[in-house]
Amino acid sequence: MTIEFAVTTRDTASGPVLELSGELDAATAPDALEAVRLLAPSAAQQLLIDLSGLQFCDSSGISVLIAARNVAVAAGAEIALAAVPGYLARTLGMIGLAELFTTYPTTEDARKAWATSASGQ
């Protein structure tokens, strides 16, 4: 059974949020990549990727995460992942990509950490 994929974006004071849910694979990665291409973080912001609804992610999905990181780096912004599923955290660690992303248990944790760092506390 395929879980319907959804990608949504929203702007917040700390920067854009990309929410991915369902199955991120070769069939759905193009939709996610299109959303990534439309993101416009600034140098003073954080691009946050909310993975709380992600049920599956293959190598195509990991490429989407790397593309999002590239968007953030090109803009001089930070990037963070929130609610990374255990299987994906293990995979990122095994392939040596875990250090590319700051991770938080929830989007709220990521927002609080960003607010603290942005205020210089």
Side-chain angles (χ1 to χ4, degrees), residues 107-121:
T107 56
E108 186 59 29
D109 291 329
R111 283 190 208 114
K112 286 178 183 176
W114 182 253
T116 300
S117 68
S119 68
Q121 295 178 359

Side-chain angles (χ1 to χ4, degrees), residues 1-72:
M1 180 172 118
T2 301
I3 299 169
E4 188 173 336
F5 177 74
V7 57
T8 57
T9 59
R10 68 180 188 280
D11 290 319
T12 68
S14 61
V17 177
L18 177 70
E19 296 176 13
L20 302 173
S21 63
E23 296 183 351
L24 181 55
D25 56 22
T28 59
D31 291 338
L33 279 172
E34 183 60 27
V36 166
R37 287 187 192 103
L38 297 174
L39 296 173
S42 71
Q45 292 185 320
Q46 171 183 257
L47 168 56
L48 179 59
I49 303 177
D50 179 356
L51 302 173
S52 60
L54 199 64
Q55 300 297 312
F56 175 79
C57 181
D58 69 6
S59 60
S60 300
I62 291 171
S63 293
V64 170
L65 298 179
I66 293 169
R69 181 184 181 277
N70 292 342
V71 166

Side-chain angles (χ1 to χ4, degrees), residues 91-111:
T91 300
L92 291 173
M94 287 189 310
I95 61 177
L97 296 179
E99 64 273 0
L100 293 180
F101 302 99
T102 302
T103 61
Y104 295 96
T106 68
T107 56
E108 186 59 29
D109 291 329
R111 283 190 208 114

